[in-house]
Amino acid sequence: MTVYLDTSVLVSAFVEDDHSDRAAAFLVSNVDVVISRWARAEFSSALALRSRASNLSDQDRRAIEMTFDDWAELQAGCPMDEADVSRCRRLIRDGARLRTPDALHLAMVLRHGHRLATFDRDLALAAEVQGVEVVVP
């Protein structure tokens, strides 16, 4: 079954942190993964936050972005549509402890029937409540 990669897994796979080894190994070992255009965009935003909060130079950030872009071009996509935005809003309104970006990831996973790979505990819990199989690398 296909596994949707959320941004937490993607960032950990490309930027050194506590989860990097597990995230990178997961990406190498799983050939049936998808990422959304939303996750690609959010990756850049998350990387910008990390570069502001640490000593990641602009040059290092650009190199990470280029490596990610090269990798992402080879991955299957997970399309997003207006129904995902509506479902995202319902998930948040109905009490799930989710940030909007995470609710949008979950909405796409629900529509496409994918498993979800994430390091985010709130997203994992909300996904399980919705009946989604969660994979923690």
Side-chain angles (χ1 to χ4, degrees):
M1 181 183 237
T2 304
V3 178
Y4 177 95
L5 302 174
D6 93 319
T7 309
S8 67
V9 175
L10 294 171
V11 170
S12 289
F14 289 90
V15 181
E16 188 65 35
D17 67 13
D18 293 342
H19 303 295
S20 292
D21 292 338
R22 292 186 302 156
F26 183 77
L27 293 188
V28 170
S29 68
N30 287 280
V31 293
D32 196 14
V33 297
V34 294
I35 58 175
S36 64
R37 289 177 50 208
W38 172 247
R40 291 178 191 209
E42 194 182 20
F43 177 88
S44 295
S45 177
L47 192 58
L49 288 174
R50 286 197 179 204
S51 66
R52 288 184 198 139
S54 68
N55 58 0
L56 185 64
S57 70
D58 288 342
Q59 182 178 359
D60 290 340
R61 178 181 169 198
R62 278 191 293 276
I64 292 167
E65 287 275 7
M66 290 176 64
T67 301
F68 173 77
D69 289 344
D70 290 345
W71 175 85
E73 286 300 315
L74 302 174
Q75 306 310 309
C78 180
M80 182 179 92
D81 65 16
E82 275 303 309
D84 296 324
V85 174
S86 296
R87 180 174 269 172
C88 166
R89 292 186 65 235
R90 282 194 307 275
L91 287 166
I92 293 168
R93 181 184 61 231
D94 291 344
R97 292 182 48 185
L98 296 174
R99 300 176 313 118
T100 301
D102 294 335
L104 192 51
H105 289 302
L106 181 54
M108 284 183 275
V109 166
L110 287 165
R111 183 164 62 91
H112 292 282
H114 299 314
R115 293 184 295 161
L116 172 67
T118 186
F119 289 120
D120 184 306
R121 290 181 184 179
D122 287 334
L123 177 54
L125 180 60
E128 288 172 348
V129 166
Q130 294 294 321
V132 172
E133 182 182 345
V134 176
V135 177
V136 180

